Amino acid sequence: LPLLGPGTEVSDGKGGRKKIVTAEDIKPKFSRDEQFAPLRDLLRKLLESKNDASLDDDMINGMGFGDLRDVILASGNMLDPDHVKRCNKAEHAFWAKAGGIELVPSDQKLQFDCGGQQWVYEVCFPSGTYGMPGTTSIDFMQDLLDEIESSGIPAPAPIEQRWTSGSTSPLSPASVGPQENESYASKNALFSWVGVIMYLPSEDFDPTGYR
């Protein structure tokens, strides 16, 4: 079907209507510079506070999201909760402006800029079934966030959480064990995975030795 204009509606073949997605519909609300502004501004402030002129505007503007976060973390004490909070706040502002709809080939979209080297501490635990997931996974996250806040742990964003079905592999953290006669509980088992990340910025950007 030709694109007749933003928001054009056509029959969905089932008696209803559906909207044609057009270039206008997926146009970003914010420019790339607007998206990156929170991270770039924070990095400039950190460098200025240290009288560090090692990175000029061209270098900063040429950095991607992961590089900016790495340099921001390395520009201060990465074990200081307040410093990590400032970085997390700038990252949140970036993602708030970078969200939207994009149509590109899968090999360009199903990849993510993780931001260099990192340590990830991950746990996996049962969280009910697809039909009855319960609150285990949400309770775990609330307890984790409470512990981070109360103990002053410098936890960089994001804390990743995802869910998968169970596995019959004995070595899988989400194993439901060998199933000679598969039950409803094992077939519909739901597991939650939670990962806390510690980033390891390049030594080129970490003269402090905190790496």
Side-chain angles (χ1 to χ4, degrees), residues 32-33 40 44 56-64 68:
R32 179 179 173 83
D33 286 337
R40 292 171 178 170
R44 291 188 178 100
D56 58 27
D57 281 346
D58 287 340
M59 295 178 67
I60 292 175
N61 292 338
M63 290 182 178
L68 283 167

Side-chain angles (χ1 to χ4, degrees), residues 45-66:
K45 289 179 181 178
L46 291 171
L47 295 175
E48 183 178 350
S49 67
K50 301 191 304 179
N51 293 319
D52 185 344
S54 60
L55 298 175
D56 58 27
D57 281 346
D58 287 340
M59 295 178 67
I60 292 175
N61 292 338
M63 290 182 178
F65 158 72

Side-chain angles (χ1 to χ4, degrees), residues 6-84:
T8 299
E9 291 188 352
V10 297
S11 171
D12 64 2
K14 300 178 182 179
R17 306 288 290 177
K18 66 179 180 181
K19 184 178 178 181
I20 297 177
V21 178
T22 68
E24 187 66 24
D25 294 318
I26 63 175
K27 182 178 180 181
K29 294 182 179 179
F30 299 93
S31 68
R32 179 179 173 83
D33 286 337
E34 290 173 324
Q35 294 172 14
F36 279 85
L39 293 166
R40 292 171 178 170
D41 291 346
L42 176 56
L43 177 55
R44 291 188 178 100
K45 289 179 181 178
L46 291 171
L47 295 175
E48 183 178 350
S49 67
K50 301 191 304 179
N51 293 319
D52 185 344
S54 60
L55 298 175
D56 58 27
D57 281 346
D58 287 340
M59 295 178 67
I60 292 175
N61 292 338
M63 290 182 178
F65 158 72
D67 289 333
L68 283 167
R69 181 177 56 197
D70 272 6
V71 180
I72 288 173
L73 287 171
S75 295
N77 182 350
M78 290 184 287
L79 300 180
D80 178 6
D82 290 332
H83 175 61
V84 174

Side-chain angles (χ1 to χ4, degrees), residues 122-141:
E122 189 168 44
V123 296
C124 173
F125 52 90
S127 55
T129 64
Y130 281 94
M132 299 184 65
T135 63
T136 305
S137 58
I138 303 303
D139 292 341
F140 180 93
M141 285 301 300

